[in-house]
Amino acid sequence: MTHKFETQRLFLRFFELSDAKVVQELAGNEEVARTTLSIPYPYPDGAAEKWIETVRQSSEKGDSYAFAIIKKDDGALIGNMSMGVSSKHKRAELAYWIGKPFWGQGYATEAARRIVQFGFEDLELNRIFAAAMTKNPGSYKVMTKIGMKEEGTFPQHVLKWGVYEDLVFYGMMQSEYLKNSALEFKDNF
C-alpha cells in the first residue's frame, strides 16, 4: 500500500524532518493556531521535529496518518491532512490545517477528498468523521464539500486559550461514500 498520493494540484506524502521549519512557520501563525486544538502558540522551537517523529511512528503502527500537502507547481508545503484511526471500530477522525497564505483556494477540500478515499478504499474504514470549532466555518465547509453530513454540535466541548469552544461534528459512512462515488462516476460518462 502506497502512502504517497496525487491529486490534480497536490502531492500528499508523509512528513520529513526537513519540513520542520515550514511546519513551525505555517502552523505557528496565530490565526492557524487559534482554531486548531493541538497547535501551540507561540510554536516552540523543536516542537515540529518532535511532532514529525511522533506522526511517523504512528503511521508505521497504523494508528494515524499525517500527510504533508505539497503544491505540484512549486513544491511548496502548504499544510497537513491527518487521519487518526481506530482499527477496533474501523473509523477515523480527519483533521487538517492549511497555512494562511493558502486559505480559500480549495486545497484542503482537494486533499481531504483523497485522504477520505484512502480511508474507505485502502484502509476499509466504515466511518470517517471530523470536528471543527463553530467559529471556524472554513473548516466545516471543507467537510460539507467532501460529502460529510452535519451530525451535531457539542457545546463548550474543548478548552482553547482559556475559552470553552463549541465543536461541530460531521461524518460519513463507507456506504455513503461508495454511493456518492458511483454517482460521480456515472455523471462523468
Side-chain angles (χ1 to χ4, degrees):
M1 177 183 336
T2 181
H3 294 299
K4 186 172 184 179
F5 303 111
E6 188 174 343
T7 68
Q8 185 180 346
R9 300 179 295 164
L10 305 169
F11 290 114
L12 302 163
R13 61 154 172 82
F14 285 163
F15 281 91
E16 300 161 0
L17 277 177
S18 58
D19 298 326
K21 186 176 185 290
V22 178
V23 168
Q24 181 175 3
E25 179 186 318
L26 293 177
N29 177 291
E30 186 177 1
E31 289 184 70
V32 173
R34 177 181 294 124
T35 57
T36 310
L37 192 59
S38 59
I39 295 179
Y41 182 82
Y43 205 103
D45 289 343
E49 289 85 351
K50 187 176 177 187
W51 177 77
I52 289 168
E53 182 56 28
T54 300
V55 296
R56 187 191 64 73
Q57 290 174 9
S58 290
S59 63
E60 285 177 3
K61 292 188 269 180
D63 294 338
S64 68
Y65 300 91
F67 294 93
I69 303 171
I70 310 293
K71 284 176 56 195
K72 279 185 184 178
D73 61 4
D74 62 6
L77 190 161
I78 63 168
N80 165 55
M81 186 62 57
S82 301
M83 199 164 50
V85 177
S86 168
S87 298
K88 178 182 177 182
H89 300 289
K90 297 190 66 69
R91 70 169 183 246
E93 180 175 6
L94 189 67
Y96 42 87
W97 58 262
I98 301 290
K100 187 167 190 262
F102 309 102
W103 287 2
Q105 298 173 54
Y107 293 125
T109 302
E110 190 172 323
R113 273 196 183 105
R114 184 60 188 93
I115 298 310
V116 164
Q117 179 185 359
F118 165 65
F120 285 132
E121 295 182 12
D122 296 337
L123 300 180
E124 298 178 352
L125 298 172
N126 178 58
R127 172 175 156 70
I128 297 175
F129 68 98
M133 292 181 195
T134 54
K135 69 180 183 183
N136 187 3
S139 184
Y140 53 84
K141 282 179 185 168
V142 169
M143 299 169 198
T144 302
K145 287 178 187 173
I146 65 170
M148 290 184 168
K149 300 209 175 14
E150 185 175 344
E151 296 180 336
T153 300
F154 287 38
Q156 298 186 14
H157 193 66
V158 293
L159 184 62
K160 177 72 176 192
W161 296 354
V163 176
Y164 289 102
E165 299 286 352
D166 299 349
L167 287 189
V168 60
F169 283 80
Y170 282 75
M172 178 189 318
M173 263 42 84
Q174 184 188 51
S175 57
E176 295 164 330
Y177 167 80
L178 293 172
K179 187 172 115 187
N180 291 341
S181 296
L183 290 173
E184 284 175 30
F185 181 78
K186 189 176 147 209
D187 290 344
N188 290 329
F189 288 94

